[in-house]
Each structure stands twice: as C-alpha cells, then as structure tokens.
Amino acid sequence: MEQSLNPTAAAAFRANPDAPAEHDNNQVDSKTIWQVITASSVGTVIEWYDFYIFGSLAAIIGPVLFGHAGKIEDTLLGALAVFGAGFVVRPFGAMFFGRLGDMIGRKYTFLVTLLIMGGATFVTGLIPSYDSIGVAAPIIVVLLRLLQGLALGGEYGGAATYVAEYAPDKKRGYYTSFIQITATGGLILSILIIVITRKTMGEAAFKEWGWRIPFLLSGFLVIASYYIRKKLHESPLFAKAKATGTTSKSPLRDSFANPVNRRLVLIALFGVTMGQGVIFYTSQFHAYSFMNNTLKLDIIDSSTILVVAMVLATPLFVYFGSLSDRIGRKRIIMTGMICGALFTIPLFYGIKAYAGPLTEITPATVDAAGKAIPAVMKALAPNVFMMTVLTFILVLFVTMVYGPIAAYLVELFPTSVRYTSLSVPYHIGNGVFGGFVPLIATSIGVWAAAQPAGTFAKEHSSLLGLVYPVVIALICFFVGMALMKDTRNVKLMDS
C-alpha cells in the first residue's frame, strides 16, 4: 500500500481535505485512499445494481409491461428495448452531470446521481401492469429508465475521477481498478438477490408480484450509500483548481470545440470504449440472457455459472489495473480487445454445446380463449463446470479491457474538463454500442430463426447476433492500435 511520504502533510490533509495548497496526490496515505475508494465504490455498485435488475428480469417484466396476450418473443424484445432506452440517454447524462462535476464539484454531482437512480428504481417496483393501466405502464417505465440512464451517465465519470485524483501517479491503475469491479459487483448483486427472492417465494408468486422486491430493496440500499458518501470531501485537485480559478466555465465547449481535446475524445470512443463496451455486455449480460432465454437453463444453473465465473475473474480487474502501472495501459486493453473479437463466437458455440439438448417439460396447448401456449423447454443436463470455464474466459477478456480503462481515461484529459471529457466517450461506447448488444443480438437471432430451413442464418440463428459485437471490437482494435497513446504515470497535479 502507498504510505505517506510526509506524515505531517498527510495529517493536515486528513484534517482538512479541501485545503488545496496542502494536497499532493503522491503524498496521500493509504488510509485516506481506501476511505475514498470504499465510499465511491459502494455507491457505484448500488447504481449498477439498479441499472441491471431490469435487464436481468426482462423475460418476466416483458408481459407485465406489454400484456400477457402477446408472444413471448415480442414481449422479451419489448422489455429489452425499454432496457436499452436507459443506455441511449447515458451520453446526455454524461454531458449534463459531467458539466456540473467540472463546474460545481465531483462529490455533490455523484450524490445527486445516486438519489436519482435509486428513486427511479424504487418507483419501478410500484408500477401497475399493462393489464391494469394499459399503455401507460410501458410509458412510465420508459421515463424511469431514461432517468436511470441520465443518472448513470454522471456516476461513473464522477467515481473514476474522484478516486484517480486522490491516487498516487504510479499506482493509479491499481487504485482505480477497484472502481472497475463495481459494474461486475452490481451485476452479481442483482443476480443473487433475484435468485434468492425467486427461490424463497416460488416461481408463480415471483412472476406475479415478487419481481418487484429487488426494485423496492434499492430504496434501502441507496439510503445507506448516500449516508456513506455524504461524509466525503471534495476532490482536492478540483478544490485547488476552483480556489485558483482554473476550473472551466464551459466544460462542454472546452471538451468538444477545442480541436485537441475533441480528437482525444474521439480516440477514446472509437479506439477504446466502444470495443470495451461490446465485450463487457456480451461476455456478462448477454451471456446470462443467452443461457436463460436461448439455451433454456434453469435460473440456478445459469446464475451459478455466471456468478462463479465473475467472482473468480474479479481479482483480475485489480491485477491488470496494477500491471498497467508497470507496462502501460494500451497493450493490456488492446490484447483483451482482439481476444474478445477472435474468441467470443467460438466460446459461445462451446457454451451452447455444453448446455446439452432441450427437453419438453410441458407440451404445447391451447387455453380456454383459443390462444396457443407454446411448449416449455428446458436444458436438464448442462455441463455446468465446462460452461463456467468458458464463461470465465469471456469475463477474462472483460478484465483486460476494463481493468486499466479508468486510469487511461482520467490521464487523457486535464482537470478542468476531466469529468465531462471522459464521461461522454465512456457512456457512448458502453451505453450505445455496448448496451444494445442484448437487443441487437437477440433481434438478429429472431430474424435468423424465421429464415427458410437449410439457410446459414436459420442453422446458426442462436449465435448470428454475435457478429455485431465482434465487428465493433475489431474496428475498435484497429483504431486503437493506430491512434491510442499510452498515458501511464501522468502527473495529475500538473494537468
């Protein structure tokens, strides 16, 4: 751990963290840094949890929002589209809250984003169904998803910037990698709470009303997280910039009208974050949806596979973040990028093969109103161990591209526009390119399944949608290799 090089200065800093003249991020003691990381990470985990539970429950929420009379495929696509609505507005949240963070401060901005996210998630758990209030149900939930997306657009940049501006220059990759764990942590938390609630209540009760519990629980989690974050002080680097009058009066103009900074934003987007986004969502979220909705695994089996793979891979976020302090960010990120592009489809083929054959649990029938009810199919004998191994490899690629990325983005931009400049390309890459992986891949799969028998699309329909993230990752790899510069060990005090 980094120890204080100047005990007197460190003691003074802890007593008054907002005193800009006293601060040197290379002289902050480890106790202070870990307090900052803990407070930032707890809130970010909760925000990711809030964002993910909707997607994790898409198959159940679909009929609630669009009526039980629709086809399963249509209601699933509808729910994924509503889920995707939150991703579309993440870049706008990045611009809005990034501007506030660069003008008003990092701490107060990500306190606001936390409350918006938690409030929208809690209210989602109270929304009546389509069968009760008609089209108002999906409209209300879309509006709540838009609020969630706006809030998340301001969250990550604030947390990453806040931690990085405390971290020593030579250990920035190591310390910021703990923020990178939070997205995976939020997904793990959402899956665990859903599975526990589902198994405790029983399948029928959970589908009827129990799915609301994970949303309502968010209210209590956010209150606890807000209390922890409220105790934080403003980032000393921002406090110094504000005291010396060097903050930006127009972060949006300085980020995007300035040709030098605009070029860096575009490199960050097309050379790093859009590829990282599709690899992240394909390897974790889409893999989970694929196992549940396409391979028809039992929820316990699919959850076990993904959670175990992610838990085992989690230390590698820190390992690759720390390694990037020694050998550079670029080669690690680019290695993960090309591995994701080359091996994602073969790994999904392996996962599908080890899922085993489908068994008809309930035969197709017709209800009293004459509506056709499809047969219920399940994979009853999956090779859980091998599926976990293959999923772990997918998540391994995530840790390589994601572990060092916060340090890279923070070091790319100056303090005056850092919050805005890193947030926008991150949330376009993750929110637009990455966030729509489940919807686009599933839509391509549904289209391919409807093609004539014997065609390539029909025979490979379940995996054809993976072409989308693979192509995006390849484009990003070539752009990144050509234009991305290594930024390790940048002295933030001089920026």
Side-chain angles (χ1 to χ4, degrees):
M1 301 297 178
E2 184 73 16
Q3 298 298 322
S4 174
L5 302 178
N6 185 337
T8 302
F13 171 70
R14 285 197 300 272
N16 184 11
D18 291 332
E22 298 294 330
H23 178 66
D24 182 346
N25 62 301
N26 291 305
Q27 294 188 353
V28 179
D29 64 299
S30 60
K31 180 181 178 182
T32 300
I33 294 175
W34 285 113
Q35 288 173 341
V36 168
I37 290 173
T38 300
S40 299
S41 298
V42 168
T44 308
V45 166
I46 300 308
E47 290 217 38
W48 282 114
Y49 162 83
D50 287 350
F51 204 74
Y52 283 141
I53 51 177
F54 190 97
S56 299
L57 292 170
I60 292 176
I61 294 175
V64 175
L65 295 183
F66 298 99
H68 290 80
K71 292 195 300 183
I72 294 175
E73 295 87 351
D74 293 340
T75 59
L76 173 60
L77 288 175
L80 289 174
V82 174
F83 180 61
F87 289 99
V88 173
V89 297
R90 277 172 58 177
F92 298 100
M95 287 187 283
F96 179 77
F97 289 110
R99 177 177 177 274
L100 290 182
D102 282 327
M103 294 181 67
I104 299 174
R106 285 57 162 127
K107 170 191 171 180
Y108 295 104
T109 301
F110 68 23
L111 278 176
V112 173
T113 63
L114 178 67
L115 292 176
I116 293 174
M117 175 67 84
T121 305
F122 182 83
V123 174
T124 299
L126 302 174
I127 298 300
S129 68
Y130 180 95
D131 295 335
S132 299
I133 62 172
V135 72
I139 291 175
I140 294 172
V141 174
V142 166
L143 293 175
L144 293 172
R145 286 296 297 171
L146 294 178
L147 284 176
Q148 286 184 316
L150 288 171
L152 191 60
E155 168 64 24
Y156 175 82
T161 300
Y162 193 81
V163 171
E165 290 179 348
Y166 273 96
D169 295 328
K170 293 185 178 180
K171 299 190 74 173
R172 188 170 296 116
Y174 169 70
Y175 283 119
T176 56
S177 66
F178 288 91
I179 291 296
Q180 304 309 97
I181 292 173
T182 59
T184 296
L187 181 54
I188 292 173
L189 182 63
S190 70
I191 291 172
L192 289 176
I193 289 180
I194 288 169
V195 170
I196 291 171
T197 306
R198 198 167 185 166
K199 289 302 178 181
T200 301
M201 300 184 63
E203 195 70 15
F206 185 81
K207 287 184 176 181
E208 184 179 354
W209 63 272
W211 61 269
R212 299 176 184 274
I213 293 176
F215 289 93
L216 299 176
L217 180 62
S218 171
F220 300 99
L221 297 175
V222 166
I223 291 172
S225 179
Y226 179 83
Y227 177 77
I228 294 172
R229 279 193 174 180
K230 191 76 167 59
K231 295 182 177 180
L232 292 174
H233 296 274
E234 185 53 81
S235 157
L237 283 185
F238 179 82
K240 179 180 179 180
K242 196 167 185 178
T244 55
T246 55
T247 56
S248 173
K249 293 181 172 58
S250 181
L252 291 175
R253 182 190 63 202
D254 294 342
S255 291
F256 307 116
N258 181 321
V260 175
N261 205 80
R262 182 173 64 241
R263 181 176 183 273
L264 294 177
V265 169
L266 293 174
I267 291 173
L269 171 58
F270 294 108
V272 186
T273 61
M274 76 173 188
Q276 173 261 309
V278 296
I279 290 172
F280 182 94
Y281 282 96
T282 301
S283 301
Q284 297 186 139
F285 191 84
H286 182 61
Y288 189 57
S289 175
F290 179 73
M291 286 186 279
N292 285 326
N293 301 317
T294 302
L295 303 183
K296 307 296 183 182
L297 263 64
D298 180 79
I299 186 71
I300 294 297
D301 288 335
S302 59
S303 299
T304 299
I305 291 166
L306 187 61
V307 169
V308 170
M310 290 192 297
V311 169
L312 292 176
T314 292
L316 296 176
F317 286 104
V318 179
Y319 171 75
F320 288 119
S322 180
L323 183 63
S324 74
D325 288 326
R326 302 192 296 275
I327 69 171
R329 326 288 187 208
K330 179 176 179 177
R331 68 179 72 178
I332 298 173
I333 293 173
M334 291 295 104
T335 300
M337 196 85 69
I338 192 62
C339 286
L342 294 178
F343 300 118
T344 291
I345 292 178
L347 287 168
F348 268 82
Y349 264 103
I351 290 171
K352 180 181 179 182
Y354 283 116
L358 293 177
T359 302
E360 186 178 277
I361 303 299
T362 304
T365 185
V366 178
D367 65 13
K371 176 190 172 184
I373 300 176
V376 175
M377 309 293 288
K378 285 288 184 182
L380 298 181
N383 187 329
V384 172
F385 175 77
M386 285 307 302
M387 293 180 74
T388 302
V389 170
L390 296 179
T391 304
F392 170 82
I393 297 173
L394 286 171
V395 182
L396 169 64
F397 303 151
V398 174
T399 66
M400 296 180 73
V401 295
Y402 203 49
I405 204 169
Y408 167 75
L409 292 173
V410 164
E411 293 169 337
L412 199 60
F413 303 106
T415 300
S416 60
V417 294
R418 181 170 294 130
Y419 201 144
T420 302
S421 294
L422 78 84
S423 293
V424 171
Y426 176 84
H427 285 290
I428 294 176
N430 280 264
V432 178
F433 289 99
F436 276 91
V437 166
L439 177 62
I440 293 174
T442 303
S443 298
I444 293 173
V446 171
W447 168 83
Q451 300 308 299
T455 60
F456 179 86
K458 178 74 171 182
E459 292 180 356
H460 300 275
S461 61
S462 63
L463 295 163
L464 197 61
L466 293 172
V467 171
Y468 164 69
V470 166
V471 169
I472 296 296
L474 276 175
I475 293 172
C476 194
F477 171 77
F478 289 119
V479 173
M481 288 299 295
L483 300 176
M484 180 183 176
K485 303 296 183 183
D486 204 336
T487 61
R488 70 187 171 109
N489 300 335
V490 170
K491 296 184 182 299
L492 292 190
M493 289 295 294
D494 299 334
S495 67

